[in-house]
Amino acid sequence: MTADEEEKNMRGDEDAMARDMSRRPADAMTTHAEWGAGDPRLRVTREDTRLEHPLALDVTRIGSAPGNELVLDGADSVHATIVHDDRDEYVLTLHGEGEMNARSEGDDRSEILRTGARFTVAEWTLVFMREEYADHGRPYGGREGGELSDQPPQPERPDYTDPDDEPGPELEVKKA
């Protein structure tokens, strides 16, 4: 990477940081933000590539197949899926080989993604990002809200379901 490219990346990171801080509500006291809030996304890197992929859909398929929402060279056809569930959580299921934060028991290689959660797909490293005010694993606005201090329990999570919605089809993914 040239010095000009490195400087451009650093400016991009500074712009992203300013954008993120401007989105955080000043009075964030719980992590029960609006449905899908906090700009959920994946930072995807490989030795020669860096990109961000927004998690704008309820199901994101990751792999080498052209129909996937995130296509990565060298991965299985559907290597992983991320489902935005009815509790406003993003749940990773790793179908192919790779590392993940959670230690899986049995065949279930799934985990709820929290800000900074890292997993691998082939030669790719993916990191889940979501502003802490919306990441349900960080009560009271995340670290800025007083991590490691005494905090009262936050209120129950809202019901994010829409009574007019009909249940969608079950997602079935077969290993390649």
Side-chain angles (χ1 to χ4, degrees), residues 10 25-26 34 36 40 52 69 74 88 94 98 106 110 115 121 143 146 148 151 156-158 168:
M10 288 174 56
E34 296 297 318
E52 277 198 2
E69 289 72 27
D88 193 37
L94 199 54
S110 296
T115 297
V121 170
R143 286 184 282 266
L148 300 178
Q151 297 176 349
E156 289 295 316
R157 191 181 304 219

Side-chain angles (χ1 to χ4, degrees), residues 90-112:
Y90 290 84
V91 181
L92 164 70
T93 301
L94 199 54
H95 306 289
E97 292 295 317
E99 299 173 4
M100 54 195 287
N101 287 337
R103 180 171 290 173
S104 300
E105 294 183 22
D107 291 335
D108 183 26
R109 298 194 57 210
S110 296
E111 72 174 290
I112 294 174

